[in-house]
């Protein structure tokens, strides 16, 4: 394992080093010490490497991630795993606002709580939050799955498209065009797989599913000529 002292060596050197790793590299395991809440740690990675951050981070940690597995042994600031493409990001603590924003793929696991706008405009990412999520989570969510093992705040799924939301606890309120939907066998299977991959001991049957009522779409087939 390669150890990188962020305080001594600096953020630019860290990200340049990690981004330079190719798929053929033998240096597949990295440990970052002394993060001290620094911003933009381990961004733009595009190799099947494993990065462990020993402490909490600032905003945009693991942004634009592809292929890599990033473990944050602490909490994460705003925008963790923002615009993520693939790979896996684990946050051992809590996450601030807009975790997983605009994510296209991969898996984001937050073992604590997530603040407001978790999964905003998500486009294919899977997000599993073991605690609660704040208001406006999954706002304009287009594709992917948001799993909330705790409670959800106001306006869940406001202006949602085709993402699927699974909540085990209470939902304070639903946003515009978001409704509760039937939990069919295929949804239970999807949820079971996500919970297993996230290491969450919960039963899919304990969750409720929410999604789009499809009333805000600008195109309606009945209006076509």
């Amino acid at each position: 394992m390669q150890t990188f002292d962020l305080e001594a060596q600096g953020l630019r050197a860290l990200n340049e080093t990690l981004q330079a790793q190719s798929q053929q590299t033998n240096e597949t395991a990295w440990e970052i010490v002394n993060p001290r809440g620094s911003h933009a740690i381990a961004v733009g990675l595009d190799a099947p490497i494993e990065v462990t951050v020993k402490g909490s981070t600032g905003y945009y940690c693991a942004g634009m991630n592809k292929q890599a597995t990033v473990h944050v042994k602490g909490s994460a600031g705003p925008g963790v795993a923002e615009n993520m493409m693939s790979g896996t990001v684990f946050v051992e603590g809590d996450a601030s606002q807009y975790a997983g924003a605009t994510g296209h793929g991969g898996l984001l696991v937050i073992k604590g709580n997530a603040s407001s706008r978790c999964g905003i405009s998500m486009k294919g990412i899977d997000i599993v939050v073991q605690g609660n999520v704040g208001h406006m989570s999954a706002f304009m969510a287009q594709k992917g799955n948001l799993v909330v093992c705790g409670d959800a705040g106001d306006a869940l799924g406001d202006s949602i498209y085709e993402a699927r939301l699974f909540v085990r606890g209470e939902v304070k309120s639903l946003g515009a065009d978001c409704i509760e939907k039937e939990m069919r066998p295929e949804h239970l299977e999807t949820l079971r797989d996500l919970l297993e991959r996230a290491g969450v001991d919960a039963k899919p049957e304990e969750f409720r599913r929410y999604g789009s009522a499809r009333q805000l779409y600008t195109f309606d087939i009945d209006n076509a000529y």
Side-chain angles (χ1 to χ4, degrees), residues 11-61:
L11 180 64
R12 183 183 296 274
L14 169 68
N15 284 331
E16 285 180 348
T17 300
L18 295 179
Q19 291 167 10
Q21 303 307 304
S22 68
Q23 294 190 17
Q24 290 77 34
T25 182
N26 291 323
E27 298 175 346
T28 58
W30 295 79
E31 181 181 74
I32 302 171
V33 298
N34 293 320
R36 299 193 174 187
S38 296
H39 306 310
I41 295 174
V43 297
L45 306 188
D46 190 7
I49 60 176
E50 185 165 341
V51 179
T52 301
V53 184
K54 304 284 284 188
S56 296
T57 70
Y59 54 70
Y60 297 127
C61 176

Side-chain angles (χ1 to χ4, degrees), residues 214-215 217-225:
R214 302 185 177 121
Q215 297 300 305
Y217 285 10
T218 56
F219 173 79
D220 191 321
I221 190 63
D222 293 333
N223 296 328
Y225 294 97

Side-chain angles (χ1 to χ4, degrees), residues 81-86 100-106 121-126 143:
E82 181 265 347
N83 205 34
M84 181 174 172
M85 297 296 177
S86 63
T102 73
H104 288 253
S121 194
M122 52 192 283
K123 297 176 173 65
I125 189 174
D126 292 320
K143 185 181 178 183

Side-chain angles (χ1 to χ4, degrees), residues 39-122:
H39 306 310
I41 295 174
V43 297
L45 306 188
D46 190 7
I49 60 176
E50 185 165 341
V51 179
T52 301
V53 184
K54 304 284 284 188
S56 296
T57 70
Y59 54 70
Y60 297 127
C61 176
M64 302 177 290
N65 186 60
K66 290 178 69 176
Q67 302 191 69
T69 298
V70 179
H71 298 262
V72 179
K73 301 293 186 179
S75 295
V80 62
E82 181 265 347
N83 205 34
M84 181 174 172
M85 297 296 177
S86 63
T88 309
V89 176
F90 292 95
V91 179
E92 297 289 340
D94 299 321
S96 189
Q97 303 177 81
Y98 42 91
T102 73
H104 288 253
L107 173 66
L108 169 62
V109 179
I110 299 166
K111 295 193 174 181
N113 303 309
S115 187
S116 61
R117 298 175 176 84
C118 178
I120 182 173
S121 194
M122 52 192 283

Side-chain angles (χ1 to χ4, degrees), residues 110-114 128-134 146-153 156 166-172 195 200 202 206-208 210:
I110 299 166
K111 295 193 174 181
N113 303 309
V128 179
V129 181
Q130 294 192 24
N132 308 320
V133 297
L146 172 61
V147 180
V148 182
C149 299
D151 301 329
L156 176 70
F166 302 98
V167 182
R168 183 167 62 169
E170 298 297 320
V171 175
K172 193 167 184 181
L195 292 170
V200 177
E206 298 172 345
F207 290 76
R208 290 174 292 170
Y210 301 89

Side-chain angles (χ1 to χ4, degrees), residues 127-195:
I127 303 174
V128 179
V129 181
Q130 294 192 24
N132 308 320
V133 297
H135 66 270
M136 297 290 287
S137 288
F139 172 56
M140 295 188 69
Q142 298 172 34
K143 185 181 178 183
N145 300 283
L146 172 61
V147 180
V148 182
C149 299
D151 301 329
D154 277 320
L156 176 70
D158 189 87
S159 303
I160 190 172
Y161 288 81
E162 294 303 308
R164 292 175 292 194
L165 316 179
F166 302 98
V167 182
R168 183 167 62 169
E170 298 297 320
V171 175
K172 193 167 184 181
S173 69
L174 294 175
D177 208 42
C178 186
I179 59 173
E180 184 172 355
K181 293 194 165 187
E182 176 189 6
M183 183 77 91
R184 298 195 298 270
E186 62 265 31
H187 303 126
L188 291 171
E189 186 61 32
T190 295
L191 183 53
R192 183 175 292 107
D193 177 66
L194 287 171
L195 292 170

